[in-house]
Amino acid sequence: MANTIVNAIGDTCPIPVIKANKALKEMEEPGVLEIHVDNEMAVQNLKRLASSKGLASSSEQLEDKHFAVTFQVTSLPKDALEDEAPPCAEDVHRNTVVAISSAAMGRGDDELGRTLMKGFLYALTQLEELPRTILFYNGGAALSTEGSESLEDLRHMEAQGVEILTCGTCLNFYDLSDKLAVGKVTNMYTIVEKLNAAAKIIQP
């Protein structure tokens, strides 16, 4: 039984699907094809590929941003391994940037504001069209760090391809530099670039 491993980490759609399809064509005997990718969308696209070929598939998250998708190739029907791979899933991210400058939403009572912000971030996860980027700066930096009640929601959106960026200067100011728990550290130049390129900016 052949065991083939394909590294598609860092590859954007449709490259993981193309690599997997090519590896299937090159297999000379039944076996296992394992494709490594770094996002959930690629996992779903690969499973669609397996389904279109009549192959059983499974997936496992090995670590943060590291998934392994396994195809069980029990036979090699040449007519089922055509060159054309299924298209990528439709992009569900509008060019919308959410800019969050406080851990509390709105003005008034801070406890109420924190409850509203938690609800706002959860509501984002339920949208059919997710934002492309969420920016955290000033007091909002606390929302992407250890202890935040919104980490699960933010990690869920990051797994769906949403870019999570937190101001590094702000993390330093609040002594949170070693507590970032989701997304990446960014700088003011990148924040300005993201806001300038956005089709829509949401500031809760």
Side-chain angles (χ1 to χ4, degrees), residues 74-159:
T74 56
S75 62
L76 299 174
K78 296 300 181 182
D79 58 341
L81 302 181
E82 68 275 8
D83 289 336
E84 184 178 358
C88 297
E90 180 180 356
D91 189 0
V92 294
H93 308 90
R94 281 186 174 181
N95 190 14
T96 298
V97 172
V98 178
I100 298 178
S101 61
S102 172
M105 184 176 182
R107 297 179 180 178
D109 185 84
D110 285 344
E111 183 177 353
L112 172 61
R114 285 190 288 272
T115 299
L116 293 175
M117 183 61 78
K118 184 176 185 296
F120 171 81
L121 290 172
Y122 171 76
L124 279 183
T125 69
Q126 304 303 301
L127 294 177
E128 290 186 7
E129 295 181 321
L130 298 173
R132 190 169 299 279
T133 304
I134 303 177
L135 299 172
F136 293 103
Y137 52 90
N138 209 325
L143 293 168
S144 59
T145 61
E146 295 174 8
S148 168
E149 295 183 349
S150 295
L151 286 181
E152 182 178 348
D153 293 331
L154 294 175
R155 286 169 175 157
H156 173 76
M157 287 189 283
E158 185 178 41

